Amino acid sequence: MNRLMQAIEGQLTTHGRLQVSWRDTHRDAPGGGRRMPDGLLVVGGTHRETEWRSAIVAFEFKSDSYNETDKALRGQLLADFTDMARPQPRRHMFGVSVSAKGEACAYVCKPSKAWLARVGAMPSTGEWSDDHRRMVRFLLLLYQQLPGDYGFLVAKEGGIYAPFGANDIPGYDHADRTEPGLDADTEAVTVAGAEPMGGRHDYPLGTKSWIYLASVHFPAGSQPGDNARGRGGGKSAPRNCVLKYHLFPPGRSEANVHRIAREMDIPYVPPLLGSATVDILGDMYTSEILLTDHVGTTIGKFFRDATPANTRKIVDLFAAYVHTLLAAATGDGNRFLLHRDISAGNLMVSKAGQPTVIDWGCGVVARSGEPRQPSESSLVGTAPYMSIRTLCGMTNRSVIDDLESLFLVFSRCLCDKYSTQPPNIGNSDMAKMWRGEQNPTDIANTRNEWLSDQGYYWARMKLVECPPQFEVLAKGLYDLLFAVGGHNIVTLQLDDVDPRLGHFDATQWLAVLERATRAITPATGHDWPHLQKLREYVDATPNCGRPTQRRPLTPTAEPSREPPQRSGSGSVQQQPPRKRRRRR
């Protein structure tokens, strides 16, 4: 195989064609990892070690006892495909298996299914047959394809990510035309760097996503102040953005939910600069690209790194997040919206201190005045921040579930900054709960014990030098969610209707936030712009968080078979809750 591939490479010097190289990797794992396919075709370069992002085709050689339907062979190729997909999103992945007799099969893998075809046989001793010639033509074809033919989302030249025009993306649409300069003349979107800055890449199926830093170059003079800065005759400064590519089940377009959130004028939702449905992947999944402003860092990182001055702003930031969730759940008179994936990674803070709520991919839009439809899957969200009702398999979701997730984000931030036993260290039940290593039922039981009493909840976090305003806020939110009198956890586990909605009062949430600001020392010299906006909203919207004429939350349809989204491992089993141990 080595001799044949090197002979082919020696004949391929056509200018402007994709240059690929054969790598014998059955002893050397790509990029210093552990996975060692038998061979790879990779983009550019002559270096022996190659990162998985440069891999184009994975080869697996097997004895004649294997065939194209063998589970072990297909399992190995699937592992190769998963490794190829981790560092770079691809619309499809390509593999080849070769038996001891030289018979070859080609595999094309998309997220919804895989196809295979018998290609031919490798040349061996004796006369060449038409089968052998087909195989050589096939190998030549692999060497002469362009990057786009291999399913790369981002064009590559010599192993380097290349700029691509926004209008070169199939189906690209400028989603928010109120943004200056976002028209057909927008020059280019440039992906900065070869590695994704975040996202989930570990599952061959499901809600995979890749998130890249990017910049958008606007036509000269299209952004406010360009001419005043003397830029009228050239390019404007690039705008810092985030490019997200992800897979989702049909009907769950993040761009659509994000666009509706903007139409409903929900505060603290960043503009959607552009979107595209890139490829239809069978009946199960669609791939989508979104372009949004880069809105800063996560609340978790902001909280950990906060200076004393920034610490005093944190209560105001959480007032903004409460405002977003209440406004979304109240809606615009015709529709309302639930986020369903509030987590420490989806609440953002810019350098200027501006809060935003991102990642609306799990969001659901419903009609006001209609019975709440059950979630297609109960496990929608990020397991460590799911409400207990969600972890226990309750199918109806409400704004209280999003607010409970917000309470858990705040609790996690406290533990990360002030706990003597932070969640990222050790192997206690609490640490496993925060890391999401247990199955959802175990997380729910651990959480149930932790939140069984306000004093026990506070003591288990083992906080030291925690500012008084955070204690006031944490205990106040706890009482709103779990105090005895209709909000307790046992009730939530036994009934699919959220009883806390019957006691919901947005003015109480506002009052808890205001008490927290009064606990800040020194008490003077601070303003709370986001808290003031929330106060004005609550005063003007008596039913905020509870759309008018909404009937009780009763399931009216059978849940569909949508796979669990962004959840921990394992499946929910409906189990009675463990007996609560009351601590005083």
XYZ file of all heavy atoms in Angstrom, residues 403-442:
319
model
N -35.853 29.237 35.557
C -35.407 29.999 36.720
C -34.679 29.105 37.729
O -33.726 29.537 38.379
C -36.594 30.691 37.379
C -37.193 31.858 36.580
C -38.521 32.286 37.186
C -36.229 33.040 36.514
N -35.121 27.855 37.848
C -34.394 26.927 38.717
C -32.992 26.677 38.166
O -32.013 26.598 38.929
C -35.153 25.604 38.835
C -34.491 24.619 39.790
C -35.303 23.343 39.986
O -36.546 23.388 39.833
O -34.696 22.300 40.286
N -32.868 26.563 36.842
C -31.541 26.412 36.244
C -30.678 27.635 36.527
O -29.470 27.513 36.780
C -31.666 26.198 34.724
O -32.342 24.988 34.435
N -31.276 28.822 36.498
C -30.532 30.044 36.808
C -30.049 30.024 38.261
O -28.912 30.422 38.557
C -31.418 31.259 36.560
C -30.763 32.637 36.765
C -29.612 32.841 35.793
C -31.796 33.750 36.607
N -30.887 29.570 39.181
C -30.488 29.412 40.583
C -29.296 28.452 40.696
O -28.351 28.695 41.466
C -31.682 28.892 41.386
C -31.328 28.274 42.709
C -30.999 29.058 43.804
C -31.342 26.899 42.862
C -30.683 28.485 45.030
C -31.029 26.313 44.080
C -30.698 27.110 45.168
N -29.307 27.362 39.917
C -28.208 26.394 39.965
C -26.931 26.996 39.382
O -25.832 26.725 39.873
C -28.601 25.127 39.208
C -29.716 24.307 39.855
C -30.227 23.241 38.896
C -29.234 23.662 41.154
N -27.055 27.828 38.354
C -25.870 28.520 37.815
C -25.256 29.406 38.891
O -24.030 29.407 39.091
C -26.251 29.355 36.582
C -25.088 30.272 36.175
C -26.633 28.457 35.413
N -26.088 30.161 39.596
C -25.585 31.037 40.652
C -24.911 30.221 41.752
O -23.828 30.575 42.239
C -26.732 31.874 41.220
C -26.297 32.879 42.247
C -25.435 33.918 41.907
C -26.739 32.797 43.560
C -25.025 34.842 42.853
C -26.332 33.709 44.506
C -25.470 34.740 44.154
N -25.517 29.098 42.127
C -24.931 28.238 43.159
C -23.589 27.687 42.707
O -22.633 27.612 43.499
C -25.891 27.093 43.493
O -27.121 27.579 43.995
N -23.506 27.289 41.451
C -22.234 26.770 40.931
C -21.166 27.862 40.939
O -20.001 27.610 41.284
C -22.435 26.231 39.515
C -21.150 25.812 38.805
C -20.466 24.642 39.518
N -19.145 24.380 38.996
C -18.871 23.468 38.060
N -19.846 22.763 37.513
N -17.636 23.247 37.660
N -21.538 29.076 40.564
C -20.574 30.186 40.589
C -20.048 30.416 42.005
O -18.845 30.658 42.204
C -21.233 31.458 40.057
S -21.544 31.462 38.279
N -20.929 30.344 42.992
C -20.501 30.506 44.382
C -19.504 29.431 44.765
O -18.478 29.706 45.407
C -21.719 30.453 45.306
C -22.701 31.629 45.246
C -23.886 31.356 46.164
C -22.021 32.928 45.640
N -19.800 28.180 44.391
C -18.897 27.079 44.746
C -17.534 27.244 44.080
O -16.490 27.000 44.702
C -19.528 25.751 44.340
S -20.957 25.258 45.321
N -17.535 27.627 42.815
C -16.264 27.758 42.096
C -15.371 28.831 42.704
O -14.141 28.698 42.704
C -16.523 28.092 40.624
C -16.984 26.881 39.822
O -16.790 25.755 40.298
O -17.538 27.071 38.726
N -15.964 29.910 43.219
C -15.150 31.027 43.707
C -14.875 30.966 45.201
O -13.779 31.330 45.648
C -15.829 32.357 43.360
C -14.943 33.575 43.662
C -15.523 34.840 43.107
C -14.646 36.064 43.403
N -13.387 36.036 42.657
N -15.836 30.505 45.992
C -15.707 30.659 47.444
C -15.654 29.347 48.226
O -15.419 29.367 49.432
C -16.881 31.494 47.985
C -16.962 32.876 47.398
C -17.970 33.222 46.513
C -16.005 33.849 47.716
C -18.048 34.493 45.971
C -16.072 35.122 47.180
C -17.094 35.442 46.307
O -17.164 36.696 45.763
N -15.879 28.197 47.576
C -15.946 26.943 48.326
C -14.556 26.424 48.656
O -13.616 26.553 47.866
C -16.711 25.881 47.531
O -16.737 24.659 48.230
N -14.447 25.803 49.827
C -13.198 25.117 50.185
C -13.089 23.774 49.468
O -12.029 23.169 49.465
C -13.131 24.888 51.704
O -14.275 24.124 52.115
C -13.108 26.213 52.444
N -14.199 23.300 48.890
C -14.192 22.064 48.111
C -14.895 22.331 46.775
O -16.056 21.952 46.586
C -14.897 20.935 48.870
C -14.192 20.540 50.155
C -14.909 19.400 50.871
O -15.909 18.867 50.412
N -14.381 19.020 52.026
N -14.230 23.013 45.844
C -14.874 23.365 44.576
C -15.284 22.128 43.788
O -14.668 21.064 43.919
C -13.800 24.170 43.840
C -12.518 23.827 44.518
C -12.849 23.490 45.935
N -16.323 22.244 42.964
C -16.873 21.073 42.269
C -15.918 20.406 41.296
O -16.106 19.239 40.971
C -18.082 21.663 41.517
C -18.411 22.920 42.227
C -17.120 23.445 42.751
N -14.908 21.130 40.815
C -14.000 20.534 39.828
C -12.877 19.741 40.476
O -11.983 19.260 39.792
C -13.409 21.622 38.931
C -12.627 22.662 39.722
O -12.851 22.820 40.920
N -11.726 23.370 39.054
N -12.908 19.592 41.789
C -11.868 18.838 42.503
C -12.541 17.752 43.336
O -13.567 17.987 43.978
C -11.037 19.761 43.417
C -10.306 20.824 42.581
C -10.039 18.964 44.244
C -9.548 21.836 43.403
N -11.946 16.577 43.343
C -12.468 15.504 44.179
C -13.482 14.647 43.449
O -13.800 14.847 42.281
N -14.019 13.664 44.192
C -14.930 12.699 43.600
C -16.159 12.494 44.481
O -16.715 11.402 44.541
C -14.205 11.365 43.383
C -14.915 10.497 42.365
O -15.474 10.999 41.405
N -14.907 9.196 42.585
N -16.560 13.538 45.173
C -17.739 13.438 46.031
C -19.004 13.401 45.188
O -18.988 13.649 43.985
C -17.797 14.632 46.984
O -17.998 15.832 46.244
N -20.144 13.086 45.847
C -21.423 13.100 45.134
C -21.707 14.482 44.565
O -22.228 14.621 43.461
C -22.562 12.680 46.078
C -22.567 11.179 46.344
O -21.905 10.459 45.571
O -23.219 10.743 47.301
N -21.350 15.523 45.323
C -21.579 16.883 44.843
C -20.762 17.157 43.583
O -21.248 17.737 42.614
C -21.216 17.892 45.930
C -22.206 17.964 47.074
S -23.659 18.941 46.657
C -22.981 20.601 46.695
N -19.487 16.725 43.587
C -18.642 16.953 42.419
C -19.175 16.194 41.211
O -19.211 16.721 40.093
C -17.205 16.538 42.724
N -19.604 14.944 41.424
C -20.163 14.163 40.317
C -21.435 14.812 39.781
O -21.678 14.828 38.577
C -20.457 12.742 40.772
C -19.224 11.906 41.056
C -19.624 10.520 41.520
C -18.412 9.661 41.821
N -18.811 8.315 42.336
N -22.236 15.360 40.679
C -23.472 16.011 40.259
C -23.173 17.198 39.354
O -23.804 17.380 38.307
C -24.256 16.466 41.487
C -25.545 17.215 41.174
S -26.355 17.812 42.666
C -25.209 19.098 43.186
N -22.181 18.010 39.714
C -21.867 19.174 38.907
C -21.199 18.804 37.598
O -21.375 19.482 36.594
C -20.976 20.134 39.690
C -21.713 20.940 40.708
C -21.512 20.956 42.052
C -22.789 21.863 40.473
N -22.387 21.818 42.667
C -23.188 22.396 41.707
C -23.463 22.279 39.325
C -24.210 23.330 41.837
C -24.480 23.212 39.453
C -24.843 23.728 40.700
N -20.428 17.724 37.609
C -19.780 17.305 36.362
C -20.726 16.541 35.458
O -20.406 16.281 34.305
C -18.548 16.438 36.672
C -17.403 17.195 37.296
C -16.116 16.395 37.206
N -16.174 15.157 37.933
C -15.711 14.989 39.174
N -15.172 16.016 39.812
N -15.780 13.829 39.782
N -21.891 16.122 35.972
C -22.841 15.380 35.170
C -22.432 13.946 34.919
O -22.860 13.331 33.941
N -21.593 13.368 35.811
C -21.100 12.019 35.580
C -22.114 10.946 35.963
O -21.999 9.810 35.544
C -19.799 11.799 36.363
C -18.647 12.644 35.829
C -17.375 12.437 36.614
O -17.408 11.655 37.579
O -16.354 13.049 36.261
N -23.093 11.285 36.796
C -24.117 10.326 37.157
C -25.225 10.360 36.111
O -25.341 11.296 35.332
C -24.704 10.661 38.523
C -23.662 10.790 39.632
C -24.296 11.167 40.940
O -24.993 10.379 41.551
N -24.081 12.404 41.371
N -26.065 9.314 36.109
C -27.205 9.379 35.212
C -28.230 10.349 35.796
O -28.154 10.727 36.967
C -27.792 7.987 34.957
C -28.404 7.366 36.206
O -29.190 8.006 36.905
N -28.055 6.120 36.475
N -29.189 10.808 35.014
C -30.097 11.861 35.471
C -30.843 11.539 36.758
O -31.038 12.427 37.594
C -31.051 12.028 34.292
C -30.231 11.635 33.105
C -29.355 10.515 33.589
N -31.248 10.281 36.939
C -31.967 9.934 38.165
C -31.077 10.103 39.383
O -31.508 10.619 40.427
C -32.488 8.487 38.079
O -33.373 8.379 36.962
C -33.234 8.109 39.344
N -29.802 9.679 39.286
C -28.882 9.825 40.413
C -28.590 11.297 40.693
O -28.457 11.710 41.848
C -27.575 9.075 40.137
C -27.755 7.564 40.171
O -28.754 7.114 40.768
O -26.916 6.851 39.590
